[in-house]
Amino acid sequence: MSEPTTIGPRLSRRRLLQYGGALGAAATSSFITVRSLAADTAEVNMQLGWLASNGILGEVCAKRLGYYAEEGVELTVTPGGPGVDGVASVAAGRAGVGQLSSSPSLMLARSAGIPVKAFAAGYQKHPFTYFSLADNPIRTPEDMVGKTIATQPTAVILLKALLALNGIAEDQVEVVKMGSDMNQLMTGQAQAVTGWMTNTNALKILGDDRVDMMLWDAGIQLYANVYYTTDRMLADHGDVLVRYLTGSARGWGYARENPEAAVDHLVSEYRNLDRAGELEAVGPVLGFSFDGTTATEGWAAMNAGNWQKQIDVYADLEQFKGETPTVADVMTTDVLAATEALRKQIG
Amino acid sequence: MTGRHEEAGWTAPAPAPAAAGNEAGCAAAGRGRNDPPPGTWRRRAPAIAAAAGLLALWQVIVSGFGVPTYIAPSPVQVLQVFVEQGDILWLNFWPTLMEAASGFLVGNTVAAVLAVWFVHSQLAERAFYPIAVFVNTIPIIAVAPILVLLLGNGYAPKIVIAALICFFPTLVNMVRGLKAVSPQMLELMRVLSASGREVLFKIRLQSSLPFLFAALKIASTTCVIGAIVGEWIGSNYGLGSLIIEATYNFRAPLLYATVILGAGMAVAAFTIVTLVERRVLKWKPPEVF
């Protein structure tokens, strides 16, 4: 996954307008969420929160190897892009399922009254990381005191959460904004920059004396590559979601067993991707997808306790403009439960 | 004739006289009516030399100061992308070209038709001109996600965005051009009992053409930008999509090559419009470009 910026976006005016437009569209138009093709085939549109990347490695494999076809699912993938996380598209019913880069977007959308709900988590740990250099390293949150941290505008809130969690006053750390580049660290303007651990090209630029402090390890535990859908889809087409997740699980299982072949599938499907870069990234991608949790609970597992903690962090920081959502609002384990046997074999 | 040649050369019906004597004259000896006039290369040489000089300077600075590739790749590295990853560039070139060209056609056609309507109906102008201005002020980057939501992820939203960008300059210029008719001329047409249609086709459209072409020149470059911005959201292919991919994956040479290809497309479109203008507007003195 190469997406370095959108993590926990605040609801901007524009985004609210987008959501509003989405709801309006949902109410008035005839967008089709799931279309039955044959008696036993459903067309599922998967909306991404970012461009097509290694975040859908398993889906691409499942599609190309016919796993979805065997489940009676015909999958199309719709990419998002900068400033477009796809929630509006899923909420409007244009896409049946969506994948979000980070879980906070989903909580914020729910709080804004958008009826979307997570049903699986692609990455068990969020790969968002604070990168520093060995001559002025940041290994723990305490190391940030007195330093300048460059982070994406949407991730400032995470830094605040991290500081609050560790009892560090906000004025003890200088926060500056950054885009997708790592220059502020390389030129010494900042002592840490942020990005995803799976973005191997960015890490290459930082060189060998890089010091990583992953947000997850520092105490803010978010999910990444969250699979979500609408309440209506869950109610009306739960069986399609189960079939979809079954296909995805098999695809990810294949990718885990055959990383190189999986990369070949990915770059054949999306020719703009760089094969060499993807081969380097596939290790970390699988590392975040499969860990101790998935070994016992299966691929894409997530738990309610962790969601509650995330809601609490955001509620404490007064990020919810609407009502604070409950765990039941933001996630369901129904689809996970229905696919448990297979996922456990793969995890 | 010879003295004015450089100014009138583009539309001069006769071949250049051999008496021109200099190398430009020799080069022009066999030229047809659409060939560049003599002196073209001499006129363009400074631009070419300046561009080459800047490229050389860029190369020297990048290699001399050891600028890392992710900050600024050297021209040679960018050129390598064209050679080694040419297939990817072309794969992404065609969708953008198609969207830009379609947007150009749609946007300008709608603008021209609206302009004709506005000129004939004050009511329509009063009702819709302000709305057209309003539409123009909406930042494309904000409206793009909504268009994608409404029109899906195919070519449609990109074409609409490119068309939206083309639309306004053409509308404003075309309305202005259709009205840029001298009252005496209209008076004369009235005396001659000309119909509204005759006034439109024989007088107004003619007078609007220089304005129209000025607008088309703007639109020819902005439609490419429109298509690229449209592709930032929800595309797998297209120069815009490649720009995002290259930016966020730190593939700087690919990014530069993509930008150059996009700029080349816009310049080519501009040149085509300019050439068409010279053919169509024979009575108008050629411009410097």
Short mmCIF file of all heavy atoms in Angstrom, two decimals, chain A residues 111-149:
data_model
loop_
_atom_site.label_atom_id
_atom_site.label_comp_id
_atom_site.label_asym_id
_atom_site.label_seq_id
_atom_site.Cartn_x
_atom_site.Cartn_y
_atom_site.Cartn_z
N SER A 111 -20.45 8.80 12.38
CA SER A 111 -20.86 9.89 13.26
C SER A 111 -21.59 10.98 12.48
O SER A 111 -22.47 11.65 13.02
CB SER A 111 -19.62 10.46 13.95
OG SER A 111 -19.91 11.68 14.56
N ALA A 112 -21.23 11.13 11.21
CA ALA A 112 -21.89 12.14 10.37
C ALA A 112 -23.21 11.62 9.82
O ALA A 112 -23.84 12.28 9.00
CB ALA A 112 -20.97 12.55 9.23
N GLY A 113 -23.61 10.42 10.24
CA GLY A 113 -24.91 9.92 9.84
C GLY A 113 -24.91 9.07 8.59
O GLY A 113 -25.95 8.76 8.04
N ILE A 114 -23.72 8.68 8.12
CA ILE A 114 -23.65 7.83 6.93
C ILE A 114 -23.73 6.37 7.39
O ILE A 114 -22.91 5.95 8.20
CB ILE A 114 -22.32 8.03 6.18
CG1 ILE A 114 -21.91 9.48 6.21
CG2 ILE A 114 -22.38 7.43 4.79
CD1 ILE A 114 -22.09 10.26 5.01
N PRO A 115 -24.69 5.62 6.89
CA PRO A 115 -24.90 4.26 7.42
C PRO A 115 -23.91 3.23 6.88
O PRO A 115 -24.27 2.33 6.14
CB PRO A 115 -26.33 3.94 6.99
CG PRO A 115 -26.53 4.74 5.74
CD PRO A 115 -25.67 5.96 5.85
N VAL A 116 -22.64 3.38 7.21
CA VAL A 116 -21.64 2.42 6.76
C VAL A 116 -21.06 1.66 7.95
O VAL A 116 -21.00 2.18 9.06
CB VAL A 116 -20.49 3.10 5.97
CG1 VAL A 116 -20.95 3.48 4.58
CG2 VAL A 116 -19.94 4.29 6.71
N LYS A 117 -20.62 0.44 7.71
CA LYS A 117 -20.18 -0.44 8.78
C LYS A 117 -19.04 -1.33 8.29
O LYS A 117 -19.10 -1.84 7.17
CB LYS A 117 -21.38 -1.31 9.18
CG LYS A 117 -21.31 -1.85 10.57
CD LYS A 117 -22.59 -2.57 10.91
CE LYS A 117 -23.58 -1.66 11.61
NZ LYS A 117 -24.73 -2.39 12.17
N ALA A 118 -18.03 -1.51 9.13
CA ALA A 118 -16.91 -2.37 8.77
C ALA A 118 -17.29 -3.82 8.98
O ALA A 118 -17.99 -4.15 9.95
CB ALA A 118 -15.70 -2.02 9.63
N PHE A 119 -16.83 -4.70 8.07
CA PHE A 119 -17.11 -6.12 8.30
C PHE A 119 -15.85 -6.99 8.28
O PHE A 119 -15.92 -8.17 8.56
CB PHE A 119 -18.17 -6.65 7.32
CG PHE A 119 -17.79 -6.62 5.86
CD1 PHE A 119 -17.12 -7.69 5.29
CD2 PHE A 119 -18.10 -5.52 5.08
CE1 PHE A 119 -16.77 -7.68 3.95
CE2 PHE A 119 -17.74 -5.49 3.73
CZ PHE A 119 -17.08 -6.57 3.16
N ALA A 120 -14.70 -6.38 7.97
CA ALA A 120 -13.44 -7.13 8.02
C ALA A 120 -12.28 -6.14 8.00
O ALA A 120 -12.44 -5.00 7.57
CB ALA A 120 -13.33 -8.09 6.83
N ALA A 121 -11.12 -6.57 8.48
CA ALA A 121 -9.94 -5.70 8.50
C ALA A 121 -8.81 -6.36 7.72
O ALA A 121 -8.35 -7.44 8.08
CB ALA A 121 -9.50 -5.43 9.93
N GLY A 122 -8.38 -5.73 6.66
CA GLY A 122 -7.34 -6.30 5.80
C GLY A 122 -5.98 -6.38 6.49
O GLY A 122 -5.32 -7.41 6.48
N TYR A 123 -5.57 -5.26 7.10
CA TYR A 123 -4.30 -5.26 7.83
C TYR A 123 -4.59 -5.33 9.32
O TYR A 123 -5.40 -4.57 9.84
CB TYR A 123 -3.52 -3.96 7.56
CG TYR A 123 -2.85 -3.89 6.20
CD1 TYR A 123 -2.24 -2.70 5.79
CD2 TYR A 123 -2.80 -4.98 5.35
CE1 TYR A 123 -1.62 -2.62 4.55
CE2 TYR A 123 -2.18 -4.89 4.11
CZ TYR A 123 -1.60 -3.71 3.71
OH TYR A 123 -0.99 -3.61 2.50
N GLN A 124 -3.93 -6.24 9.99
CA GLN A 124 -4.16 -6.39 11.42
C GLN A 124 -3.58 -5.23 12.21
O GLN A 124 -4.09 -4.85 13.26
CB GLN A 124 -3.56 -7.71 11.90
CG GLN A 124 -4.33 -8.91 11.38
CD GLN A 124 -5.80 -8.86 11.79
OE1 GLN A 124 -6.12 -8.58 12.93
NE2 GLN A 124 -6.69 -9.10 10.84
N LYS A 125 -2.47 -4.68 11.72
CA LYS A 125 -1.85 -3.53 12.36
C LYS A 125 -1.85 -2.41 11.33
O LYS A 125 -1.62 -2.67 10.16
CB LYS A 125 -0.39 -3.83 12.67
CG LYS A 125 -0.09 -4.44 13.98
CD LYS A 125 1.43 -4.50 14.10
CE LYS A 125 1.86 -5.08 15.41
NZ LYS A 125 3.31 -4.97 15.57
N HIS A 126 -2.04 -1.20 11.78
CA HIS A 126 -1.94 -0.10 10.83
C HIS A 126 -0.47 0.20 10.55
O HIS A 126 0.30 0.36 11.48
CB HIS A 126 -2.63 1.15 11.40
CG HIS A 126 -3.01 2.11 10.32
ND1 HIS A 126 -2.06 2.72 9.54
CD2 HIS A 126 -4.20 2.51 9.87
CE1 HIS A 126 -2.68 3.49 8.66
NE2 HIS A 126 -3.98 3.37 8.83
N PRO A 127 -0.08 0.26 9.27
CA PRO A 127 1.35 0.46 8.97
C PRO A 127 1.83 1.91 9.09
O PRO A 127 2.93 2.22 8.70
CB PRO A 127 1.47 0.02 7.50
CG PRO A 127 0.13 -0.51 7.10
CD PRO A 127 -0.87 0.02 8.06
N PHE A 128 1.00 2.79 9.65
CA PHE A 128 1.39 4.19 9.77
C PHE A 128 2.56 4.31 10.76
O PHE A 128 2.49 3.80 11.88
CB PHE A 128 0.20 5.01 10.26
CG PHE A 128 0.42 6.49 10.24
CD1 PHE A 128 0.34 7.19 9.04
CD2 PHE A 128 0.70 7.18 11.40
CE1 PHE A 128 0.53 8.56 9.01
CE2 PHE A 128 0.89 8.55 11.37
CZ PHE A 128 0.81 9.24 10.18
N THR A 129 3.62 4.98 10.33
CA THR A 129 4.85 4.97 11.10
C THR A 129 5.50 6.35 11.13
O THR A 129 5.41 7.10 10.16
CB THR A 129 5.84 3.98 10.46
OG1 THR A 129 5.22 2.70 10.38
CG2 THR A 129 7.13 3.85 11.25
N TYR A 130 6.13 6.66 12.25
CA TYR A 130 6.96 7.87 12.33
C TYR A 130 8.39 7.47 11.99
O TYR A 130 9.00 6.65 12.69
CB TYR A 130 6.90 8.47 13.74
CG TYR A 130 5.52 9.02 14.06
CD1 TYR A 130 4.53 8.21 14.60
CD2 TYR A 130 5.21 10.34 13.76
CE1 TYR A 130 3.26 8.70 14.85
CE2 TYR A 130 3.93 10.84 13.99
CZ TYR A 130 2.97 10.01 14.54
OH TYR A 130 1.71 10.49 14.76
N PHE A 131 8.90 8.04 10.92
CA PHE A 131 10.27 7.73 10.49
C PHE A 131 11.21 8.83 10.95
O PHE A 131 10.94 10.02 10.75
CB PHE A 131 10.33 7.66 8.96
CG PHE A 131 9.44 6.61 8.36
CD1 PHE A 131 8.36 6.98 7.56
CD2 PHE A 131 9.66 5.26 8.58
CE1 PHE A 131 7.53 6.02 6.99
CE2 PHE A 131 8.83 4.29 8.02
CZ PHE A 131 7.76 4.68 7.22
N SER A 132 12.32 8.43 11.56
CA SER A 132 13.34 9.41 11.92
C SER A 132 14.68 8.84 11.49
O SER A 132 14.75 7.73 10.96
CB SER A 132 13.31 9.68 13.42
OG SER A 132 13.38 8.46 14.13
N LEU A 133 15.74 9.60 11.71
CA LEU A 133 17.07 9.12 11.30
C LEU A 133 17.89 8.77 12.54
O LEU A 133 17.67 9.33 13.62
CB LEU A 133 17.78 10.19 10.46
CG LEU A 133 17.10 10.49 9.12
CD1 LEU A 133 17.80 11.64 8.40
CD2 LEU A 133 17.06 9.26 8.22
N ALA A 134 18.85 7.88 12.35
CA ALA A 134 19.59 7.31 13.49
C ALA A 134 20.33 8.38 14.29
O ALA A 134 20.50 8.23 15.50
CB ALA A 134 20.56 6.25 12.99
N ASP A 135 20.78 9.47 13.66
CA ASP A 135 21.54 10.46 14.43
C ASP A 135 20.64 11.32 15.33
O ASP A 135 21.14 12.07 16.16
CB ASP A 135 22.40 11.34 13.49
CG ASP A 135 21.55 11.98 12.39
OD1 ASP A 135 20.32 11.80 12.43
OD2 ASP A 135 22.13 12.64 11.51
N ASN A 136 19.34 11.25 15.12
CA ASN A 136 18.42 11.97 16.00
C ASN A 136 17.13 11.15 16.07
O ASN A 136 16.09 11.57 15.60
CB ASN A 136 18.16 13.37 15.43
CG ASN A 136 17.63 14.31 16.50
OD1 ASN A 136 17.37 13.90 17.63
ND2 ASN A 136 17.45 15.57 16.14
N PRO A 137 17.22 9.99 16.70
CA PRO A 137 16.15 9.01 16.55
C PRO A 137 14.93 9.29 17.43
O PRO A 137 15.05 9.90 18.48
CB PRO A 137 16.81 7.71 16.99
CG PRO A 137 17.86 8.14 17.97
CD PRO A 137 18.31 9.50 17.57
N ILE A 138 13.79 8.84 16.96
CA ILE A 138 12.58 8.87 17.76
C ILE A 138 12.10 7.42 17.86
O ILE A 138 11.56 6.87 16.90
CB ILE A 138 11.51 9.77 17.12
CG1 ILE A 138 11.99 11.23 17.19
CG2 ILE A 138 10.16 9.61 17.81
CD1 ILE A 138 11.11 12.22 16.50
N ARG A 139 12.35 6.84 19.03
CA ARG A 139 12.00 5.43 19.22
C ARG A 139 10.75 5.27 20.08
O ARG A 139 10.06 4.27 20.02
CB ARG A 139 13.16 4.68 19.86
CG ARG A 139 14.37 4.58 18.96
CD ARG A 139 15.37 3.53 19.40
NE ARG A 139 16.37 3.32 18.37
CZ ARG A 139 17.48 4.03 18.25
NH1 ARG A 139 17.74 5.01 19.12
NH2 ARG A 139 18.34 3.80 17.27
N THR A 140 10.53 6.27 20.94
CA THR A 140 9.34 6.24 21.79
C THR A 140 8.67 7.61 21.69
O THR A 140 9.33 8.58 21.28
CB THR A 140 9.73 6.00 23.27
OG1 THR A 140 10.53 7.11 23.71
CG2 THR A 140 10.49 4.71 23.45
N PRO A 141 7.41 7.70 22.07
CA PRO A 141 6.75 9.02 22.02
C PRO A 141 7.50 10.07 22.83
O PRO A 141 7.52 11.25 22.45
CB PRO A 141 5.36 8.73 22.61
CG PRO A 141 5.12 7.29 22.33
CD PRO A 141 6.46 6.63 22.41
N GLU A 142 8.14 9.68 23.92
CA GLU A 142 8.86 10.66 24.75
C GLU A 142 9.99 11.31 23.97
O GLU A 142 10.36 12.45 24.23
CB GLU A 142 9.43 9.98 26.01
CG GLU A 142 8.40 9.63 27.08
CD GLU A 142 7.54 8.43 26.70
OE1 GLU A 142 8.04 7.55 25.97
OE2 GLU A 142 6.35 8.40 27.09
N ASP A 143 10.56 10.56 23.01
CA ASP A 143 11.66 11.11 22.21
C ASP A 143 11.21 12.29 21.36
O ASP A 143 12.04 13.03 20.82
CB ASP A 143 12.23 10.03 21.27
CG ASP A 143 12.99 8.96 22.04
OD1 ASP A 143 13.33 9.21 23.23
OD2 ASP A 143 13.24 7.88 21.48
N MET A 144 9.90 12.46 21.21
CA MET A 144 9.41 13.54 20.35
C MET A 144 9.53 14.91 21.02
O MET A 144 9.50 15.92 20.34
CB MET A 144 7.93 13.31 20.00
CG MET A 144 7.70 12.19 19.02
SD MET A 144 5.95 12.06 18.66
CE MET A 144 6.01 10.97 17.23
N VAL A 145 9.65 14.93 22.34
CA VAL A 145 9.67 16.20 23.07
C VAL A 145 10.79 17.09 22.55
O VAL A 145 11.93 16.65 22.41
CB VAL A 145 9.83 15.93 24.58
CG1 VAL A 145 10.02 17.25 25.34
CG2 VAL A 145 8.61 15.18 25.11
N GLY A 146 10.43 18.33 22.23
CA GLY A 146 11.42 19.30 21.78
C GLY A 146 11.79 19.16 20.31
O GLY A 146 12.67 19.85 19.83
N LYS A 147 11.11 18.26 19.60
CA LYS A 147 11.46 18.05 18.19
C LYS A 147 10.33 18.51 17.27
O LYS A 147 9.23 18.79 17.71
CB LYS A 147 11.78 16.58 17.95
CG LYS A 147 13.09 16.19 18.63
CD LYS A 147 13.45 14.77 18.40
CE LYS A 147 14.75 14.47 19.17
NZ LYS A 147 14.92 13.06 19.40
N THR A 148 10.69 18.57 15.99
CA THR A 148 9.71 18.95 14.98
C THR A 148 9.26 17.70 14.24
O THR A 148 10.09 16.94 13.74
CB THR A 148 10.33 19.94 13.98
OG1 THR A 148 10.81 21.07 14.71
CG2 THR A 148 9.31 20.40 12.96
N ILE A 149 7.97 17.49 14.20
CA ILE A 149 7.42 16.31 13.53
C ILE A 149 6.61 16.78 12.33
O ILE A 149 5.70 17.60 12.46
CB ILE A 149 6.47 15.52 14.48
CG1 ILE A 149 7.08 15.34 15.87
CG2 ILE A 149 6.06 14.19 13.85
CD1 ILE A 149 8.27 14.42 15.93
#
